[in-house]
Amino acid sequence: MRKIISALAACLVLTGCGLGRWEGEIRFEVTSINTCYDGYSDVICATRVYLDVVGDLPAGAPRPRSFEGAFVEPDDFTDESKVRDEVAVGDEIICQGQEQSEGFDYLNGNPLQLSKCRMA
């Protein structure tokens, strides 16, 4: 019984370590904002805030190419209303980035997940 419990514990540790290889805060500049217009449904059109990295990447961060075309959506912000009311092109924001090594996002070519964004 102890061998089974030890094996399960080891599997859980390995699984947890495999989901994200790097995590840290990254500073971005807002380069453009795509907003939905009347006539589009939320399924077809989603508000996206497109970003470029500002300054140097934190130690251990994925290669800069991982950040090309980076964007966040309102639910990636700690306060969703700020996206609609206050974020503008040229603003700087800080997001929590996590590199994915497996899972749905990784399989779709998104090796980096951004969340918990806030105004810089």
Side-chain angles (χ1 to χ4, degrees), residues 15-85:
T15 301
C17 294
L19 291 177
R21 297 184 303 194
W22 175 85
E23 187 171 333
E25 287 194 337
I26 308 161
R27 183 179 285 263
F28 291 99
E29 179 182 354
V30 176
T31 57
S32 65
I33 300 174
N34 173 27
T35 56
C36 295
Y37 302 99
D38 292 335
Y40 287 99
S41 73
D42 288 339
V43 175
I44 297 172
C45 180
T47 298
R48 288 187 172 172
V49 178
Y50 291 92
L51 310 167
D52 274 342
V53 174
V54 173
D56 294 329
L57 291 170
R63 63 192 182 281
R65 205 168 64 182
S66 297
F67 298 91
E68 290 176 7
F71 67 87
V72 290
E73 296 177 343
D75 61 347
D76 295 319
F77 281 77
T78 53
D79 183 359
E80 292 181 31
S81 64
K82 290 216 181 245
V83 177
R84 294 182 180 92
D85 301 334

Side-chain angles (χ1 to χ4, degrees), residues 92-104:
E92 289 189 7
I93 63 172
I94 298 171
C95 295
Q96 185 74 24
Q98 181 179 20
E99 184 181 23
Q100 303 293 309
S101 60
E102 57 186 52
F104 183 74

